[in-house]
Amino acid sequence: MSRTGFEYRQGTMFAEEVSLPTIASAVGTPAYVYCANIIRARFRRLAHAFEGIPHHIHFAVKANSNLSVLGVLRELGGGVDIVSGGELYRALQAGFRGDDVVFSGVGKTVAEIEQALGAGVRLINVESEAELVVIDHVAGRMGVTAPIAIRVNPEVTVETPHAYIKTGEKGQKFGIPRDDVARLVTFIGELRHVELRGLGMHLGSQIGNADPLRDALPRLLAAVAFARAAGHPVSFLDVGGGLSVPYEAHEVPADIDDYARIVRAAARDTGLTLLLEPGRYLVAESGVLLTEVLYRKHAAGKDFVVTDAGMNDLIRPALYQAYHAIEPVVVTDGELTADVVGPICESGDFFAKDRSLPNVQAGALLAVRTAGAYGFTMASNYNSRARPAEVLVDGNRFAVIGTRETFDDLVRLERASLQWRTA
Ligand code: LLP
């Protein structure tokens, strides 16, 4: 099998052992297609790099929250990183136990904190003093001790392809600025219903090199040392996610061994259990968005390829000017330079601008690559479009793991006849 699970066989693209035209005829387009064995391979690769040191891989559910994808990772012994009550609900539905869960996020509600404590999550990552006070209060009311970690903002310089996916720089809304950590640690010592069990960080997503990690780890470990000296039972070091994946042909995959070497070296002799929160790395390359060309269009000297998928299905190009490779499912002759665009009434609705690609015609299937992370999870119903189907391939079998929405689904929660209430 190829590195991503997708490859041409006699001119037709396959996902593992299943041809994409087979899937398109069975479920229609647009559809997300994921390769289970690639997700497994990535998980094992990462676990292998951390072999021999206590660690847990907590998949960032926001990257791909389909119950069956979560199930693949649970079967391998993974845990999850969640950022909402909805993600916690999904994780439990997928069979994870409370102890498999780390709860991150800058704005947890009282209801979400109750839900997390009720489920017995491994850690709640605290992002502000105000939130800490609420967690302590809720835990006290429930008669439990909340296991917490401080999410530190190490304030390092982070290079990411887009500003929106940086998090560990100064001035971001995330985490406790490193200079404020000592004060918060002392404050935690005064609270009765929380226990400081970890320190964590998340530097950003799609981080191209190891420099920010190298800069940030000593800062995080200084916070661990301070917390331990103050008597807190710190046993977890959460290094967040952020491992990059190649989207363009010239990009190279993240060096997992290098990453592991740096993290392992920092954690050595600390007795800490590492928590890793990869999202994209585990699932991005395992997935494509399968779409059909509806029309070719020539206007104002330009060529357009109009697809049946739009920015509501995959928003990354519109939101981050993100690059996704686009390949015809059946090898096609000829060359074309075109904008690949969706049917949505927005100029931002494109998958590629001035892209050279084979001379695909109406009816052709295209694979928008590297769409397994932050694809379906960021899909919307904009323009009242039903969200696409999701399919999991596992060797020579495939299953629908997310049914295409219907028009009924679109209006299910809305009311045409109103029950007015008086003020
Ligand atoms: N942990 C925390 C606390 C996070 O906030 C994130 C991602 C992760 C882990 C996983 O990061 P990853 O390993 O996937 O890089 N929608 C954007 C990405 C936003 C990432 C937000 N946080 C995109 O499509 O590129």
Side-chain angles (χ1 to χ4, degrees):
M1 204 192 314
S2 73
R3 212 179 63 79
T4 62
F6 296 94
E7 67 186 353
Y8 288 106
R9 293 190 189 170
Q10 275 123 39
T12 298
M13 195 185 286
F14 276 64
E16 300 196 13
E17 310 296 322
V18 182
S19 86
L20 290 181
T22 303
I23 293 175
S25 358
V27 307
T29 55
Y32 278 95
V33 180
Y34 314 118
C35 296
N37 284 307
I38 297 305
I39 301 174
R40 294 186 184 115
R42 292 289 189 280
F43 184 94
R44 292 193 178 114
R45 176 76 187 81
L46 194 59
H48 178 69
F50 283 91
E51 219 161 56
I53 183 163
H55 73 276
H56 298 284
I57 299 176
H58 287 260
F59 172 60
V61 171
K62 63 172 81 68
N64 188 323
S65 52
N66 186 287
L67 291 180
S68 298
V69 170
L70 297 180
V72 168
L73 291 160
R74 183 184 48 74
E75 279 172 14
L76 295 168
V80 288
D81 163 57
I82 58 147
V83 290
S84 71
E87 287 190 351
L88 176 54
Y89 180 80
R90 280 180 179 281
L92 297 175
Q93 289 280 309
F96 290 98
R97 293 166 305 126
D99 197 38
D100 299 323
V101 179
V102 169
F103 190 6
S104 306
V106 73
K108 306 174 195 80
T109 65
V110 167
E112 287 173 327
I113 294 164
E114 281 171 355
Q115 189 190 353
L117 292 174
V121 301
R122 168 171 280 151
L123 283 178
I124 300 181
N125 287 342
V126 173
E127 300 233 10
S128 65
E129 183 175 319
E131 182 192 45
L132 176 61
V133 170
V134 173
I135 295 171
D136 184 63
H137 181 77
V138 173
R141 184 155 44 74
M142 292 173 71
V144 297
T145 299
I148 58 166
I150 298 177
R151 172 158 171 192
V152 178
N153 182 347
E155 301 186 329
V156 294
T157 306
V158 185
E159 297 278 328
T160 59
H162 196 275
Y164 289 0
I165 56 178
K166 293 181 187 193
T167 51
E169 287 198 335
K170 196 167 181 158
Q172 300 277 358
K173 71 173 177 177
F174 298 100
I176 307 290
R178 64 188 180 114
D179 290 342
D180 299 345
V181 171
R183 201 168 48 82
L184 198 72
V185 167
T186 307
F187 180 51
I188 290 171
E190 294 164 18
L191 299 175
R192 296 198 4 245
H193 310 291
V194 296
E195 187 170 82
L196 182 59
R197 299 207 185 140
L199 274 297
M201 63 181 185
H202 171 70
L203 299 175
S205 203
Q206 190 65 357
I207 301 177
N209 68 56
D211 293 343
L213 188 66
R214 262 195 212 97
D215 296 343
L217 280 167
R219 298 180 180 185
L220 192 57
L221 286 163
V224 171
F226 182 86
R228 281 180 159 173
H232 295 282
V234 173
S235 61
F236 293 112
L237 189 74
D238 183 343
V239 296
L243 282 165
S244 67
V245 305
Y247 283 85
E248 297 195 45
H250 66 82
E251 293 174 327
V252 285
D255 186 338
I256 298 302
D257 291 323
D258 192 42
Y259 174 80
R261 207 174 303 120
I262 295 168
V263 175
R264 292 175 74 125
R268 187 176 302 137
D269 302 330
T270 63
L272 292 164
T273 296
L274 290 170
L275 304 180
L276 313 169
E277 298 176 354
R280 194 187 312 265
Y281 172 75
L282 293 178
V283 292
E285 291 176 279
S286 82
V288 299
L289 174 59
L290 187 57
T291 177
E292 184 178 311
V293 177
L294 293 178
Y295 302 108
R296 285 277 302 268
K297 172 169 176 169
H298 190 81
K302 282 184 70 162
D303 278 303
F304 294 89
V305 171
V306 184
T307 61
D308 67 356
M311 67 189 279
N312 72 297
D313 301 302
L314 176 66
I315 202 173
R316 301 191 73 257
L319 192 56
Y320 314 116
Q321 288 80 51
Y323 180 98
H324 285 264
I326 300 174
E327 289 165 354
V329 164
V330 175
V331 168
T332 306
D333 292 338
E335 272 176 35
L336 173 70
T337 299
D339 287 8
V340 181
V341 302
I344 305 248
C345 300
E346 294 253 359
S347 314
D349 179 29
F350 61 87
F351 293 124
K353 296 257 189 195
D354 293 321
R355 181 75 60 88
S356 31
L357 69 170
N359 192 18
V360 289
Q361 302 297 329
L365 290 170
L366 300 177
V368 182
R369 302 290 307 271
T370 327
Y374 307 109
F376 188 87
T377 53
M378 296 180 80
S380 77
N381 294 121
Y382 188 40
N383 277 206
S384 285
R385 285 166 53 83
R387 287 180 303 166
E390 291 177 284
V391 171
L392 187 68
V393 175
D394 190 358
N396 61 5
R397 358 173 249 176
F398 68 99
V400 175
I401 59 170
T403 307
R404 184 183 308 287
E405 281 178 332
T406 64
F407 294 154
D408 269 349
D409 292 328
L410 294 181
V411 298
R412 194 161 40 92
L413 302 174
E414 297 173 25
R415 298 276 174 276
S417 66
L418 302 187
Q419 291 184 322
W420 295 103
R421 305 177 203 198
T422 39

